[in-house]
Amino acid sequence: MNFRGNITWISLERGYGYISDDDSNTYIFHHTNILPSKGTKMLSVGNLVSFSPGAGVKAGQAVEVKLIG
């Protein structure tokens, strides 16, 4: 199942950030192993992404995160 949201905070140095889920308006943890779209090199706040829910070490997290557009 895929969801959409926006990157609300990211630390490329630390390797993680948060996505605001469009459907539930909640924040979801993610690691920065995000698959960039063609021509995109860096993630930044405000990027629109799609993702699937997955299991994390302490709680759920976004997996298979992909930049949209």
Side-chain angles (χ1 to χ4, degrees):
M1 179 184 293
N2 283 338
F3 295 92
R4 291 172 52 131
N6 291 297
I7 303 283
T8 55
W9 183 86
I10 189 165
S11 173
L12 296 174
E13 297 81 28
R14 294 180 179 171
Y16 65 90
Y18 292 93
I19 299 171
S20 174
D21 178 21
D22 285 349
D23 292 331
S24 65
N25 205 24
T26 59
Y27 294 101
I28 299 160
F29 178 80
H30 73 84
H31 285 282
T32 58
N33 57 348
I34 293 174
L35 307 172
S37 60
K38 187 174 181 180
T40 303
K41 296 181 182 177
M42 299 296 278
L43 291 173
S44 62
V45 171
N47 286 140
L48 182 62
V49 294
S50 68
F51 62 94
S52 297
V57 175
K58 295 181 181 180
Q61 69 179 31
V63 296
E64 299 176 9
V65 179
K66 298 178 184 173
L67 288 167
I68 296 175

